[in-house]
Amino acid sequence: MYFVRRLIFAIPLLLVISSLAFALVHLAPGGPFDRERAPASPEIERNLRAAYHLDEPVWKQYLRFFGLVWDRDADGRWHHAPASFNISYKYRSHRVSDIVGQALPVSMTLGVLAFGFAMCVGLPLGFITAARRGRWPDYAGSFLAILAVCVPGFVVGPLLILIFSIKLHWLPVALWESPAHMILPAIALGLFFSGKIARLFREGLLATVQSEFIAAARAKGLGENRLLLKHAVRIAILPVVSFSGPMLADLLTGSFVIENIFQIPGIGVFFINSALNSDYTVAVDLALLYAILLIVLNLMVDFSYTLLDPRVKYE
Amino acid sequence: MSESGNSGRAGSPLAAAKAENGAHGVTRPTYISPGRNAWQRFRRNRLAVLSAWYLAFLLLAIFAWPMVLKLSDATFAQAHNPDQLSDAQFSTPSAQHWFGTDLHGRDLFSRVLFGAQISLLVGVVGAGISLVIGVLWGAIAGYVGGRTDSILMRIVDVLYSLPTIIFVIVLITTLGEMLKQSHFVGSSPALAGVLRVTLLFVGLGAVSWLTMARIVRGQVLSLRSRAFVDASRALGAGPVRILARHIIPNIFGIVITYLALTMPAIILYESFLSYLGLGVQPPMASWGTLIAEGVGQINPIRIYWWLIAFPGGVLVTTLLALNFLGDGLRDAWDVKSK
Amino acid sequence: MWRNSFCCLLVFAACLLDSGCVRREPPADVTLINNAEPETLDPAILSGIPEFRIVMGNLFEGLTRLDPKTARPIPGLAQGWDISPDSCTYTFYLRTNLVWSTGEPLTADDIVWSWLRAASPATASDYAGEFFYLKNGEDFVTGKIKNPALVGVHAVDKFTVRVELTHPTPFFLDLCALPVMSVVPRQTIEKYGDRWLMAQPLPVSGPFELAYWRPNDKVRLKKNPLYWDAANTPSQLIDILPLGSPDTALNLYENGQVDIVLDRTLVPGELLDLLRKRPDFHPFNYLGTYFIRLNVTHKPFDDPRVRRALALAIDKELIVAKITRAGERPAATLVPPWTANYASPPGLGYDPALARTLLAEAGYPGGKGFPRFEYMFDAAAGGGSKIHQDIAIELQQMWRDNLGIQMDLRQVEWKVLLGSYSHLDYETARSSWIGDYNDANTFLDCFTSNNGNNRTGWKNTRYDALISEANGQTDLKKREQLFQQAETLLVHDEMPIIPIFYYAGLNYFDTNRIQGFFQNILDDHPLEYLRKANPKSKAQSSN
């Protein structure tokens, strides 16, 4: 019931987000049709703006975005205007749904792979640094984890390419054509998050180990490693899980930096370019997509809390 | 057995004192204030102390360098002026130019130090802004509770769901335009430049306060039901007084910690914006712009390694130091951890 | 923890399965890198260079096309033409065996319909201005007359098109090769409207069909077997990739994953001095000029002495040697010296002493009292070329050292810069112009008083008179002289713009592997001649 209520509440939330995003992109200077060559006549420019309804007040464009506007044509008849959320000002031959349909699966694949990498590296690293706290594996591991968080992504990418593609010739340099092409981008993208996960998991473990139920388990006589594994991990992983929600949302909606460096046809590049080029509809569409993903993922995260930590209950 | 049962509380000062003096001792237990206690624990963390020294040294270098330039003779000052172009393009690190030069023949060492000013300022001011907004927001939400809390946190949820990059791009470009209009009205161009950089700080801080607000709210919620707050209220203190004198000082530790951890995130975000071409405007340089320029050196043909190694190395080292410092502070203030 | 790793492994496996969905398709014969994602492939609407490269002469053809080596117009869809003695009437004779790639015959009516569509205000073409040369063309484009039959292009019969011009236009045949004047499929457009390019099958008139167009991924062209010259088209499949980052382009090229790098901006600037020495580096003179735009409606740039002082204080040799480094030539004029039918007059050189004198005359001796002003330029997002910023930094120092004036840099997004041009909302800005056709008029026409591309606020009736008189001339020598006088007015006396250098183009490819790819001043590379030699060596090098 709680989750159904959250889902229902999400709808007005999405409306608010869409109107905020819509207002924001319309505030930015420069329109989508500023061109390098001047239009041959003012009439042409007027026609262009009128064809895309850019001469209307912003609130009306907003309604048109959702398909809630009826137009009167030359004969005086009313007909329903198609919803403009599917029209891009920059890619005039494509529908936004086509573009997203092609680009989103790519970003999602990359995101899932990066997530997998981050988990597979971050969780063991966090575990080791917590289990061997205060000794050299902790120092080394923590240093590596924090290092991963400190190097900007647009430096990591080219470094990986230089080493693994150009010098060693193990992997291709860029593009997205085969499983081999996916390895470097996934690593470059996941490295930052693996460091964060390692730190969060370590914190979670260290905090959990102090709590009472662990003391109880220790009193029962369990060995240290099994103790940690069986009991602490379930609770300690909660911070990681709650971080996973926004992390996955970020990963799945594409990373501009990685997609730019590796020339991957994902959705991150569309996102940034639409904001920079005043491609209003695409920017709002993608903002909504991000919000929807975030809401769904947060719901899943909250649900997994109930599975992991029996103390958590929702009314 | 009871010893191990108390292991979780071994760190608290009272217990230590008790253990010292024995259960039958008559002497008064020495009281160590939480602040001093934290400081002692911090000092034991070697990595954090090292980081603190490094940051202090960096700050010293940043403040001292412009004075060194002003006091030195003309040739030295001109060679090391970060804005001075010269014909010595791409020269390797040498006695003349300690970090080498770039495409325009500008001294890289000087640029890195002057860039440090901007980057650290961005980090501090951005984190400061997120601090102020986040603490106030979270404290009010947590303390007042009820419907106000609900509304305030809902707003945080909405803002959390907005992809920040759109917001930042629009903020920077729109307010940049508005600034330009006012420039034509007559304010000095130098002021416009400073205002533009300030805009960057504000933008970055404005997108980072959300997490701080949530954390502060959580802390305040747990604090306000504590006994000393009830006592204060019983004595007739108003909400503002309670907030100011009791709650906020008690969240001080956690706030400082997150500050030290937010700064690296903001500095990294600024470097991302520089990569997009939206960060600090030329001729001002920050580490982000230096690195964005230098990243082109990672190529298979010829690597002018100093253009990426020095700015990158300094950035990574500083961020590492900030992270270690933040971790050290958190470990020191958090009484529960060993 | 094992459970977590196991889950990770599951996720990995699922993804690898999903990645099997990555389409397995035959590799292209040749892969080129274009520098940006094309906004549209509709020849009437497109205006950017990346779009030109894909469409012009490849997907849709016009009456003429450009010779790949000389960039002069040669017969395209038309096999020949007659020009009347007054040079105002052209009669084109189409080939009789023309068909669309879907099999329907292509006739003169298609040409006329395509031209009228491009000229129509409803289409909002950026190149509609080229129809001003036709009789009644300007009135039709600006909407003063509504009847398209009045425009000076008619289909005399199935294979003959007659065109009437308002005045002699020596470059008209070059214009006929432009995409805006190429033929487009009427039935498809009438059926599908705005999204006609997504129609399957898409009828094309050029040597290549559009196999598919995946935004930000690639454009794939496949050979059109029904093209009239299909016998001479060696390649079957050509891929065109949009790329923004010069470093990625270089890596892909070095790794053998792409064959040709087309654009100057995709070559990392800092490495140019090394890259220039390699045999696969092919430079050429490009029909374009990089200049500084001055807003003459804004004080103190309303004084020509100030503008000339600014120009004289720029050491252009330094800029091309230190910053751009691709072998550009410093420019004293707007029209590049390799333009057809034209020899450039001398412009202003580098003379800081004279610059200081002029500035003093204008009332700012030693730069005292000269207000701080802004120089606008665009930023490159995501690792793109920083050349505008680099040039700006040098300019700032030059003006400060030579004139004692303070210029502030102002970096903005591309769209914002364009908006500032149109609204005259800048003080000085970086700019450039690439010629549409091989004649001086394409440059000089822009700065007539009412031309939308002027964007400096400069109006000069004498200049306008010279340009229109030149365009009425049939004698090429007299025409050249008039243009020279006009250009002297523009870049020597008045200077609303300050030319910096003429563009040098670059193509990167290995001549041992790629043939049929030539350099010309318009950077036009009809792909139909492109051939990859020794297909075996490609398989070896591109592991």
Side-chain angles (χ1 to χ4, degrees):
Chain A
M1 243 351 267
Y2 171 76
F3 293 104
V4 174
R5 250 194 313 139
R6 287 273 296 268
L7 274 173
I8 296 180
F9 178 73
I11 298 177
L13 183 66
L14 285 174
L15 269 177
V16 170
I17 291 175
S18 67
S19 42
L20 254 180
F22 203 82
L24 273 179
V25 291
H26 274 273
L27 266 180
F33 293 127
D34 281 321
R35 305 206 96 41
E36 190 165 13
R37 318 178 71 86
S41 73
E43 162 114 14
I44 289 188
E45 185 169 21
R46 267 200 302 273
N47 277 340
L48 200 55
R49 293 182 68 83
Y52 287 94
H53 306 286
L54 288 174
D55 45 356
E56 286 177 347
V58 179
W59 61 263
K60 191 161 180 203
Q61 293 183 46
Y62 182 63
L63 288 176
R64 188 180 288 277
F65 183 79
F66 289 109
L68 295 172
V69 167
W70 275 259
D71 283 328
R72 197 171 219 168
D73 61 21
D75 303 334
R77 272 193 306 230
W78 293 99
H79 68 270
H80 178 235
S84 70
F85 70 83
N86 214 4
I87 301 176
S88 161
Y89 296 119
K90 188 162 145 78
Y91 301 101
R92 287 164 24 196
S93 306
H94 302 266
R95 280 192 292 232
V96 179
S97 48
D98 293 334
I99 299 178
V100 173
Q102 280 171 14
L104 193 60
V106 174
S107 282
M108 283 189 150
T109 311
L110 179 61
V112 170
L113 285 175
F115 180 73
F117 174 80
M119 286 296 194
C120 287
V121 170
L123 289 175
L125 191 63
F127 186 82
I128 292 175
T129 53
R132 304 275 173 272
R133 184 188 185 191
R135 282 168 278 176
W136 76 263
D138 180 16
Y139 285 130
S142 295
F143 180 81
L144 284 178
I146 297 186
L147 185 65
V149 168
C150 287
V151 186
F154 57 89
V155 172
V156 172
L159 271 177
L160 285 175
I161 295 179
L162 185 65
I163 300 175
F164 292 104
S165 299
I166 299 182
K167 296 286 183 218
L168 293 174
H169 292 292
W170 287 350
L171 293 167
V173 161
L175 302 179
W176 185 258
E177 279 160 7
S178 72
H181 287 84
M182 300 183 187
I183 299 181
L184 279 186
I187 296 180
L189 190 53
L191 211 58
F192 176 86
F193 294 106
S194 67
K196 278 214 98 107
I197 288 178
R199 301 299 293 162
L200 281 173
F201 195 38
R202 177 181 185 271
E203 260 173 58
L205 277 174
L206 291 178
T208 314
V209 158
Q210 311 302 324
S211 58
E212 285 116 9
F213 77 95
I214 292 293
R218 213 180 259 127
K220 280 205 303 197
L222 285 174
E224 198 69 13
N225 269 349
R226 280 203 69 204
L227 180 94
L228 283 177
L229 268 177
K230 273 197 81 164
H231 297 278
V233 164
R234 274 181 66 185
I235 309 298
I237 206 163
L238 285 177
V240 177
V241 170
S242 63
F243 179 66
S244 301
M247 175 173 113
L248 260 180
D250 264 329
L251 284 174
L252 292 178
T253 49
S255 154
F256 176 79
V257 168
I258 301 294
E259 290 177 10
N260 199 37
I261 294 175
F262 290 92
Q263 196 51 33
I264 295 176
I267 208 134
V269 174
F270 280 115
F271 205 9
I272 302 280
N273 282 337
S274 70
L276 289 172
N277 290 327
S278 304
D279 194 353
Y280 303 136
T281 47
V282 174
V284 179
D285 287 336
L286 293 177
L288 275 176
L289 188 68
Y290 177 81
I292 292 175
L293 266 174
L294 198 59
I295 290 174
V296 167
L297 286 169
N298 274 335
L299 269 179
M300 282 166 57
V301 161
D302 287 344
F303 185 67
S304 61
Y305 274 9
T306 60
L307 293 179
L308 287 170
D309 187 352
R311 296 178 289 186
V312 174
K313 279 190 192 13
Y314 298 107
E315 69 287 347
Chain B
M1 277 230 292
S2 58
E3 234 81 332
S4 58
N6 277 340
S7 66
R9 288 187 284 280
S12 85
L14 237 55
K18 214 185 214 168
E20 238 173 41
N21 294 330
H24 302 293
V26 179
T27 41
R28 209 173 262 254
T30 43
Y31 176 69
I32 309 174
S33 77
R36 199 172 156 75
N37 187 45
W39 172 242
Q40 282 179 348
R41 288 148 59 84
F42 179 78
R43 273 178 36 195
R44 282 198 288 265
N45 183 342
R46 279 176 301 195
L47 212 48
V49 172
L50 193 66
S51 306
W53 276 111
Y54 167 80
L55 288 170
F57 173 69
L58 183 67
L59 277 175
L60 183 70
I62 292 175
F63 282 119
W65 185 244
M67 283 193 275
V68 167
L69 283 185
K70 225 186 285 226
L71 295 173
S72 63
D73 67 63
T75 44
F76 184 85
Q78 200 189 42
H80 291 272
N81 180 353
D83 291 328
Q84 179 65 34
L85 312 183
S86 75
D87 286 330
Q89 266 186 320
F90 293 129
S91 49
T92 52
S94 62
Q96 171 78 309
H97 294 282
W98 301 328
F99 280 3
T101 60
D102 66 357
L103 168 73
H104 296 278
R106 296 179 290 198
D107 178 46
L108 191 63
F109 178 76
S110 222
R111 294 200 86 210
V112 169
L113 276 187
F114 276 88
Q117 285 180 5
I118 305 279
S119 286
L120 288 181
L121 203 59
V122 164
V124 166
V125 175
I129 289 182
S130 79
L131 172 80
V132 169
I133 304 180
V135 165
L136 282 178
W137 197 279
I140 294 177
Y143 189 74
V144 175
R147 174 160 294 168
T148 322
D149 175 26
S150 209
I151 295 177
L152 287 179
M153 283 301 124
R154 283 285 155 263
I155 296 181
V156 169
D157 282 340
V158 169
L159 290 179
Y160 225 81
S161 312
L162 262 185
T164 49
I165 186 64
I166 288 193
F167 180 69
V168 171
I169 289 179
V170 171
L171 188 77
I172 292 184
T173 52
T174 310
L175 291 184
E177 275 307 291
M178 281 168 44
L179 218 63
K180 201 190 135 198
Q181 306 305 327
S182 72
H183 164 233
F184 272 123
V185 170
S187 57
S188 79
L191 186 62
V194 169
L195 280 178
R196 240 196 307 280
V197 179
T198 316
L199 212 74
L200 187 63
F201 303 162
V202 170
L204 289 176
V207 300
S208 320
W209 63 267
L210 299 171
T211 321
M212 179 77 81
R214 280 206 177 142
I215 292 168
V216 169
R217 172 189 177 258
Q219 283 291 101
V220 170
L221 269 180
S222 78
L223 275 175
R224 99 178 151 157
S225 48
R226 297 265 285 275
F228 69 91
V229 174
D230 276 340
S232 226
R233 214 184 280 126
L235 287 173
V240 177
R241 188 181 165 83
I242 294 184
L243 264 177
R245 305 234 27 217
H246 296 287
I247 305 234
I248 290 188
N250 271 304
I251 58 178
F252 184 67
I254 224 176
V255 160
I256 286 293
T257 315
Y258 275 93
L259 206 60
L261 293 173
T262 314
M263 269 188 69
I266 292 189
I267 296 181
L268 265 182
Y269 201 72
E270 190 269 322
S271 73
F272 169 62
L273 287 180
S274 300
Y275 178 74
L276 285 185
L278 289 175
V280 175
Q281 307 291 302
M284 277 199 282
S286 70
W287 285 336
T289 56
L290 289 175
I291 292 178
E293 281 171 26
V295 88
Q297 295 307 319
I298 307 178
N299 64 70
I301 308 240
R302 170 182 62 202
I303 306 183
Y304 288 132
W305 57 271
W306 57 94
L307 286 177
I308 182 71
F310 290 119
V314 175
L315 175 78
V316 169
T317 316
T318 309
L319 293 186
L320 278 176
L322 282 169
N323 270 304
F324 287 136
L325 186 66
D327 273 355
L329 284 173
R330 183 172 49 208
D331 284 346
W333 273 98
D334 185 3
V335 193
K336 285 205 291 286
S337 69
K338 260 205 279 254
Chain C
M1 189 194 111
W2 300 119
R3 202 167 26 182
N4 287 328
S5 313
F6 184 64
C7 291
C8 294
L9 277 174
L10 269 184
V11 163
F12 249 106
C15 293
L16 287 177
L17 278 178
D18 164 70
S19 78
C21 298
V22 167
R23 290 150 272 239
R24 291 250 164 265
E25 43 194 24
D29 294 323
V30 186
T31 312
L32 298 91
I33 300 190
N34 208 351
N35 88 323
E37 172 67 16
E39 287 183 17
T40 176
L41 294 178
D42 182 337
I45 300 181
L46 62 84
S47 67
I49 300 203
E51 289 88 353
F52 262 74
R53 291 204 185 107
I54 300 178
V55 174
M56 182 159 159
N58 300 320
L59 284 176
F60 298 102
E61 198 169 61
L63 291 170
T64 61
R65 50 191 181 139
L66 296 182
D67 181 289
K69 293 191 186 130
T70 61
R72 308 270 15 176
I74 55 176
L77 292 179
Q79 59 188 341
W81 46 80
D82 287 332
I83 310 181
S84 66
D86 65 351
S87 298
C88 285
T89 307
Y90 285 67
T91 313
F92 293 93
Y93 304 104
L94 292 183
R95 297 172 201 270
T96 46
N97 59 345
L98 294 174
V99 288
W100 289 101
S101 61
T102 40
E104 300 93 25
L106 210 168
T107 62
D109 286 317
D110 287 309
I111 307 271
V112 176
W113 189 86
S114 305
W115 284 27
L116 291 173
R117 170 188 179 252
S120 156
T123 311
S125 165
D126 281 345
Y127 276 82
E130 310 299 356
F131 291 103
F132 285 21
Y133 299 105
L134 266 57
K135 196 155 79 123
N136 288 329
E138 181 164 0
D139 290 337
F140 183 66
V141 170
T142 50
K144 288 201 192 80
I145 59 175
K146 304 272 191 242
N147 182 3
L150 294 173
V151 180
V153 56
H154 297 100
V156 171
D157 60 43
K158 232 167 81 149
F159 298 113
T160 317
V161 178
R162 174 154 52 235
V163 180
E164 287 143 13
L165 306 177
T166 52
H167 56 71
T169 312
F171 49 86
F172 185 68
L173 291 172
D174 300 75
L175 286 183
C176 291
L178 286 177
V180 72
M181 297 201 168
S182 59
V183 67
V184 291
R186 175 181 191 158
Q187 259 101 323
T188 315
I189 297 179
E190 285 176 340
K191 186 167 167 197
Y192 291 96
D194 255 352
R195 298 187 59 243
W196 63 274
L197 283 158
M198 295 289 112
Q200 293 282 0
L202 176 69
V204 299
S205 53
F208 290 96
E209 292 182 74
L210 186 66
Y212 54 74
W213 176 16
R214 296 206 280 252
N216 266 342
D217 188 1
K218 64 167 85 149
V219 172
R220 172 163 279 205
L221 301 177
K222 76 172 188 275
K223 176 172 166 170
N224 173 11
L226 297 178
Y227 179 61
W228 60 265
D229 205 19
N232 288 330
T233 310
S235 294
Q236 286 291 337
L237 285 178
I238 298 188
D239 276 348
I240 302 179
L241 307 179
L243 228 72
S245 161
D247 299 313
T248 314
L250 184 68
N251 288 338
L252 282 171
Y253 179 76
E254 293 288 303
N255 226 33
Q257 281 175 264
V258 300
D259 301 304
I260 305 179
V261 179
L262 276 177
D263 197 295
R264 157 81 176 81
T265 58
L266 286 178
V267 181
E270 290 133 1
L271 301 171
L272 263 174
D273 55 326
L274 269 188
L275 294 174
R276 285 181 63 183
K277 303 198 179 93
R278 292 171 21 157
D280 51 355
F281 175 100
H282 302 273
F284 55 94
N285 291 324
Y286 193 22
L287 197 71
T289 311
Y290 190 99
F291 56 89
I292 301 178
R293 215 178 260 275
L294 303 169
N295 185 347
V296 311
T297 61
H298 193 75
K299 275 183 133 43
F301 304 107
D302 51 347
D303 186 340
R305 288 171 299 193
V306 168
R307 304 197 293 260
R308 294 171 69 203
L310 287 176
L312 287 163
I314 299 179
D315 185 356
K316 299 166 191 172
E317 287 281 357
L318 185 85
I319 292 185
V320 300
K322 189 175 175 191
I323 305 291
T324 60
R325 315 211 281 175
E328 287 90 353
R329 277 178 48 173
T333 60
L334 177 63
V335 182
W338 38 81
T339 313
N341 309 326
Y342 191 72
S344 303
L348 288 180
Y350 177 50
D351 193 340
L354 180 56
R356 281 189 281 269
T357 320
L358 279 173
L359 198 62
E361 265 178 46
Y364 306 100
K368 243 199 278 285
F370 199 90
R372 281 173 82 136
F373 63 99
E374 285 187 339
Y375 176 86
M376 282 176 82
F377 58 94
D378 48 311
S385 148
K386 294 219 173 336
I387 200 162
H388 308 302
Q389 174 184 316
D390 293 332
I391 294 178
I393 292 177
E394 295 285 335
L395 285 176
Q396 184 185 43
Q397 169 119 328
M398 282 178 201
W399 280 334
R400 185 172 56 222
D401 291 345
N402 285 334
L403 295 176
I405 62 182
Q406 180 61 29
M407 174 258 263
D408 293 324
L409 289 102
R410 177 133 186 261
Q411 180 174 288
V412 293
E413 292 76 54
W414 176 231
K415 288 287 183 184
V416 176
L417 184 67
L418 292 180
S420 313
Y421 290 162
S422 327
H423 303 122
L424 279 183
D425 206 9
Y426 64 93
E427 292 169 288
T428 62
R430 82 102 187 154
S431 197
S432 60
W433 190 256
I434 313 286
D436 299 317
Y437 46 85
N438 195 351
D439 186 275
N441 192 42
T442 180
F443 290 92
L444 298 174
D445 192 38
C446 293
F447 292 99
T448 52
S449 305
N450 294 320
N451 191 310
N453 292 315
N454 184 328
R455 296 175 175 174
T456 57
W458 183 66
K459 293 190 199 296
N460 188 300
T461 42
R462 186 160 160 252
Y463 185 82
D464 298 343
L466 281 170
I467 299 289
S468 67
E469 195 190 332
N471 275 325
Q473 291 289 332
T474 41
D475 177 357
L476 287 181
K477 251 323 184 189
K478 188 88 186 21
R479 189 167 177 270
E480 181 188 12
Q481 278 167 359
L482 289 166
F483 274 147
Q484 282 169 338
Q485 287 177 31
E487 186 163 27
T488 307
L489 191 59
L490 182 70
V491 297
H492 189 279
D493 303 332
E494 289 281 317
M495 299 221 83
I497 60 169
I498 305 179
I500 306 283
F501 59 85
Y502 305 118
Y503 275 124
L506 292 182
N507 291 143
Y508 253 102
F509 61 95
D510 184 352
T511 31
N512 294 330
R513 281 165 47 195
I514 302 286
Q515 279 152 17
F517 198 76
F518 311 101
Q519 281 69 50
N520 53 62
I521 64 172
L522 287 176
D523 198 21
D524 177 46
H525 304 282
L527 299 174
E528 62 176 294
Y529 305 106
L530 199 53
R531 179 181 58 242
K532 176 161 255 165
N534 304 334
K536 231 193 289 231
S537 59
K538 174 190 173 151
Q540 279 167 355
S541 58
S542 72
N543 278 353

